[in-house]
Amino acid sequence: MNKKLWTLLAVLIAFMLVLGACNNDEESSGSNTEGTTEPAKTEEDKDKEEDKEEEPAAEEGTSEFSQKVEHEGDAIDGGILKVALGTDTPFEGIFSLVLYQNGVDADILDYASNSIFSVDGDFLIDDRGIATLEADPNTNKATIKIREGVKWSDGEPLKIEDVMLPYLIIGHPDYQGIRYDGDFKNIIGAEEYNAGTADTISGLKKVDETTLEISFKKLSPAIYSGGDGLWSSAEPSHILKDIPVGQLLESDPVRKNPLSLGAFKFEKIIPGESVQFVKNEHYFKGEPKLDGVLLKVVPSSSISKALETGEYHMTAGSLPATKYAEVKDFKNASVLVQPELSYSYLGFKLGKFDTKTKLSTMDPNAKMANLNLRMAMGYALDVESVNEAYYDNLRTRATGLIPPAFASFYDDTLEGLKYDPAKAEQLLDEAGYKDIDGDGFRETPEGEKLEINYAGMSGDVTAEEMAAYWIQNWRDVGLKVVLTSGRLIEMNSFYDKVEADDPEIDIYMGAWGTGTNPSPLGLYGKDSAFNYSRFTSPELDELLAAIDSPDAFDSAKRAQAFRDFQVYMSEQVPVIPTQFRSAIYVVNKAVKNYDVTYGTDFGLHELQLVSEEPLK
C-alpha cells in the first residue's frame, strides 16, 4: 500500500473511532438515532484501473475494463434472458417515454423502446434509426423522415402522426408528465397550445405520410443531440388517439399493454414485481434471436449475490462503481465498464440567484471570491487515493467540465488541479492567507478568522468517510473547513439549501449528469437556476453562446467552442471537477455477446445465449 493510501486509512480509522464514540454517547443518553445512515437513492445511482493483465475480450471475456464481450460456447436457438431489476421499491410501471419519471421504468423501457433516432459515438443523431433528421439554421426548421415499412409490435404501420403525437401530448394543458419545459417552448405554437388558445401546435406540419416539418423559434447544433425541443420517440396514435391526455397516465396502453417499436414487446406485467417480454417479430432491424426477456425486481443489497449464484444473466441498466468490489472476482460472469456521461465537482458559492430577474449575480465580497483560495482547495484534494480506495480506479481525476465520453468535445490537454499540497500552500501564502495566531489554521488577508462551511450529501458510511478525508486534506494546508449544520445533509434538504444559496454554505460537493447533450448552457448560464456557483461574466456568456450558435453547426467550430469553454472555466475556477465516473455491467458467461460501447451497431435483437440457464 502506498503512502497516500496509508494516510487515507489512518484518517478514516480515526474518523470511525470518533463516529463510534458519538454513537455510544447517543445510545447511553437514550437516543433513538441510528448509528449509520442508509444510502440516499440519487439519480446518479439510477442514471443509470489498477493495472491488471487483460485477456482479449473477444476470446475469453475476462477483461474487467472492456466495453464488450463475446463468451465461449455455441449459441443456442432462442432462450429467455433473465434480468435483475435492481430497486428497493416496486417499479411504478409507467411505460411511455413521454410520461415515465424514474430510472427503473426507463431501464424496463429499454427492452421495448419507441425511440426513433439512432446516435453515433458522440451522441449525435445519425441515419441508422427509424427516422432521420435534417436541420436548417437559416429557416429554423427541422425535417424528420421515417423509414417506410416500419411496424408497431401489433403489426400496425408506423405513421407520421405517431411521430407528431408526443408533441401534442407533452404540450397539452392536461399533460401529467414533466417534459414540458423551456426547450419544448422553443417549438413555434407550443405555448399557445399549452395555454389552450390553440387546438394544435402550429409549428408541426405533416408534409406527407413519412415526413414531418417542425418550425422552431431558434435552432442550434444541440438539436442533433436531441435538444432545442426535438422529441426522440413515437406514440401509437391508432391506440391513444381516443384517450384524453389527462387520462393517459392510468390508461391500459400505458400501464398494462403498451406497444413497442423495439426488439421486444410486453407480454405480461406483474405490477411492481416483474415484466415478461417476447420477441417483436416486426422489429425493423430483424427478428430478435432470443425468445424473450424476463425482468424481476431484486433489492440492491442482494443483487450482487443473485448474480454470483446464477439466478440472472445480467442487470437492467448498470450498477454503480461502488458495487465493483462485490462483483469483480465472479467466476461465472464478465464485468464491463462504461464511462458515464457525468462528473463530480466541488462548487464555490460566489453570488446569489435573483428570483425576480431570474439571473445570477456575483458577490465580490463572497468568502470564496479569491481565485488563489479556490485553486488551493483543488490542489489540496487527494482525489487519486479516494478513487483507488473506494472505486478501484473506476473513477478518475476529472480535468474539465465535459466528460471524456464526448470524444469530439473533451479537451484532453487539460491537466486539472492534481494533488499538490505544496502548491496549495504556496498559493495561499501568495494570496495572504497565513496562520497569524499559531493555531494551525490560516486567517484571511485582513487578519480575520477563516472558517469555510462545506455542504455534502448524506449517504452510507462511505459518504461520511470521504467527507472527513476532504476536510483533513484542507486541514493539511491550514484551512479550517467545517460541515454545514455539523453533519452531511439529506439529499432533498441538500438541494434545497444549495438552490436557495443558504448563507451557511461556502462550498459544496455535487455531481452533474449531462445526458447526451453536452451543451453546458443549462448548468452555467447566467439565467440557469442550476448555475449553483452563481459565477457569471461577459466572457462566459460569449463562450456559452458560441457552443450553440449557428456558426457551431460547423462541427469543427463547435468542438473548438467547447474547448474554449473548458479552458476558461479551468482558469476562473468557479467549480472544480473532481471525478469522472464509470458504470459497470455484470454479464453472465451464459450470454454469448454484449456491447455497451457508445455508438455501437450492436442491438438487443442480436443477443444470444450459450445455455438456457445462467452459469453458476
Side-chain angles (χ1 to χ4, degrees):
M1 183 180 293
N2 63 37
K3 183 178 180 180
K4 286 195 294 184
L5 282 179
W6 274 117
T7 302
L8 173 58
L9 181 61
V11 171
L12 297 185
I13 289 174
F15 173 75
M16 293 308 295
L17 289 173
V18 173
L19 182 64
C22 292
N23 289 336
N24 288 336
D25 289 343
E26 288 174 344
E27 290 173 2
S28 64
S29 64
S31 169
N32 290 324
T33 304
E34 293 289 337
T36 58
T37 306
E38 287 297 316
K41 190 70 172 178
T42 69
E43 286 302 317
E44 303 163 18
D45 294 324
K46 299 173 188 175
D47 278 49
K48 306 176 14 217
E49 299 165 86
E50 273 178 67
D51 293 328
K52 292 184 173 73
E53 183 178 353
E54 291 191 1
E55 297 176 358
E59 296 178 10
E60 299 293 339
T62 58
S63 171
E64 292 177 329
F65 295 98
S66 294
Q67 294 186 52
K68 61 182 178 179
V69 67
E70 184 165 345
H71 289 126
E72 290 183 338
D74 296 328
I76 64 173
D77 292 331
I80 302 294
L81 184 75
K82 296 178 174 63
V83 179
L85 185 63
T87 175
D88 295 317
T89 58
F91 59 79
E92 287 190 66
I94 302 174
F95 301 126
S96 164
L97 287 176
V98 299
L99 291 166
Y100 86 92
Q101 295 190 26
N102 67 57
V104 178
D105 283 352
D107 286 338
I108 297 172
L109 281 167
D110 281 344
Y111 291 88
S113 173
N114 294 341
S115 296
I116 59 174
F117 295 122
S118 171
V119 296
D120 62 19
D122 281 325
F123 314 99
L124 302 176
I125 293 171
D126 59 25
D127 61 359
R128 297 176 298 164
I130 290 173
T132 57
L133 172 70
E134 291 186 5
D136 184 351
N138 296 316
T139 62
N140 288 334
K141 292 182 179 181
T143 302
I144 299 172
K145 191 169 186 64
I146 58 174
R147 294 173 182 257
E148 295 185 7
V150 176
K151 295 180 180 181
W152 289 96
S153 53
D154 64 354
E156 184 75 13
L158 176 71
K159 305 186 294 291
I160 205 64
E161 287 81 3
D162 303 335
V163 178
M164 298 172 68
L165 185 56
Y167 296 94
L168 298 175
I169 293 173
I170 295 170
H172 196 278
D174 297 332
Y175 173 59
Q176 295 175 293
I178 58 175
R179 292 167 178 84
Y180 181 74
D181 56 13
D183 259 3
F184 196 87
K185 295 174 186 177
N186 186 43
I187 302 169
I188 290 178
E191 291 184 271
E192 292 81 357
Y193 176 66
N194 182 257
T197 60
D199 293 332
T200 190
I201 298 176
S202 59
L204 301 179
K205 179 184 176 181
K206 176 183 175 180
V207 177
D208 55 41
E209 296 305 315
T210 62
T211 309
L212 171 65
E213 180 185 270
I214 306 178
S215 296
F216 297 89
K217 297 174 184 176
K218 64 176 182 64
L219 270 189
S220 76
I223 193 169
Y224 285 105
S225 300
D228 283 346
L230 184 74
W231 191 250
S232 299
S233 69
E235 293 289 340
S237 60
H238 67 286
I239 297 293
L240 302 183
K241 63 181 179 180
D242 296 326
I243 302 175
V245 170
Q247 298 176 21
L248 281 175
L249 191 61
E250 299 301 330
S251 67
D252 286 355
V254 169
R255 296 282 192 168
K256 295 182 179 180
N257 48 19
L259 293 186
S260 171
L261 291 173
F264 298 95
K265 60 184 179 181
F266 289 87
E267 182 182 49
K268 182 180 180 181
I269 300 169
I270 299 179
E273 296 182 13
S274 66
V275 178
Q276 175 75 59
F277 293 99
V278 294
K279 63 182 176 182
N280 177 10
E281 63 272 24
H282 300 296
Y283 185 49
F284 82 103
K285 287 188 176 181
E287 185 174 323
K289 296 177 180 179
L290 294 175
D291 292 324
V293 179
L294 175 62
L295 286 85
K296 288 186 177 180
V297 165
V298 179
S300 58
S301 60
S302 57
I303 197 166
S304 297
K305 180 58 68 174
L307 292 166
E308 183 180 24
T309 56
E311 294 181 52
Y312 297 94
H313 290 105
M314 60 175 59
T315 61
S318 64
L319 293 175
T322 50
K323 289 283 186 184
Y324 181 71
E326 299 176 11
V327 304
K328 65 179 180 179
D329 295 323
F330 286 178
K331 303 300 182 185
N332 64 336
S334 296
V335 178
L336 305 182
V337 175
Q338 181 191 60
E340 290 187 6
L341 307 181
S342 61
Y343 58 88
S344 302
Y345 70 98
L346 169 66
F348 301 98
K349 281 294 186 180
L350 301 175
K352 303 284 185 183
F353 186 73
D354 189 320
T355 56
K356 292 182 179 180
T357 64
K358 303 297 183 183
L359 295 173
S360 289
T361 57
M362 295 275 284
D363 177 5
N365 297 315
K367 189 183 297 184
M368 309 311 299
N370 187 285
L371 176 60
N372 272 25
L373 173 60
R374 299 198 299 271
M375 292 181 67
M377 295 196 79
Y379 280 118
L381 288 178
D382 186 7
V383 175
E384 290 77 10
S385 290
V386 166
N387 290 340
E388 185 175 350
Y390 289 109
Y391 300 107
D392 287 88
N393 289 321
L394 291 174
R395 290 190 181 182
T396 58
R397 162 80 72 165
T399 56
L401 297 179
I402 301 297
F406 295 100
S408 295
F409 305 138
Y410 169 65
D411 189 343
D412 60 3
T413 66
L414 294 175
E415 295 184 356
L417 303 181
K418 295 182 179 180
Y419 180 54
D420 189 343
K423 177 70 171 178
E425 291 180 330
Q426 176 187 343
L427 288 168
L428 292 169
D429 289 341
E430 291 174 356
Y433 292 90
K434 298 181 179 180
D435 180 10
I436 299 173
D437 57 13
D439 66 350
F441 293 114
R442 296 171 183 264
E443 277 72 43
T444 69
E446 295 73 30
E448 299 174 352
K449 291 286 187 182
L450 176 64
E451 184 172 281
I452 299 170
N453 297 301
Y454 162 49
M457 195 185 303
S458 64
D460 56 10
V461 173
T462 296
E464 302 275 0
E465 293 174 352
M466 284 196 292
Y469 190 54
W470 300 140
I471 290 173
Q472 181 63 49
N473 282 166
W474 290 316
R475 183 188 182 99
D476 289 343
V477 297
L479 293 175
K480 184 176 183 180
V481 180
V482 298
L483 289 175
T484 297
S485 304
R487 64 183 63 198
L488 295 181
I489 305 168
E490 180 271 331
M491 179 180 68
N492 293 321
S493 297
F494 171 85
Y495 282 114
D496 287 344
K497 286 178 175 290
V498 172
E499 290 172 5
D501 299 321
D502 190 308
E504 293 185 1
I505 298 177
D506 300 314
I507 64 174
Y508 63 95
M509 281 288 187
W512 285 127
T514 65
T516 56
N517 179 9
S519 174
L521 179 63
L523 298 179
Y524 299 104
K526 64 182 178 181
D527 59 352
S528 171
F530 292 125
N531 180 3
Y532 291 149
S533 74
R534 312 310 183 195
F535 174 78
T536 66
S537 73
E539 293 84 358
L540 178 58
D541 292 342
E542 292 178 6
L543 291 168
L544 292 172
I547 288 173
D548 292 327
S549 70
D551 286 345
F553 275 94
D554 181 320
S555 58
K557 290 182 179 179
R558 194 171 196 229
Q560 185 59 50
F562 270 108
R563 289 182 171 84
D564 292 342
F565 161 77
Q566 292 169 83
V567 170
Y568 178 77
M569 293 295 273
S570 71
E571 293 171 345
Q572 299 301 312
V573 200
V575 301
I576 296 175
T578 54
Q579 293 170 315
F580 289 136
R581 306 146 73 90
S582 297
I584 58 175
Y585 294 79
V586 180
V587 183
N588 189 276
K589 292 182 179 179
V591 179
K592 178 63 179 175
N593 52 337
Y594 204 63
D595 189 349
V596 297
T597 308
Y598 291 125
T600 180
D601 286 326
F602 177 81
L604 292 174
H605 65 297
E606 298 176 275
L607 271 174
Q608 291 181 284
L609 302 177
V610 299
S611 67
E612 187 75 37
E613 295 299 322
L615 301 183
K616 299 185 183 298

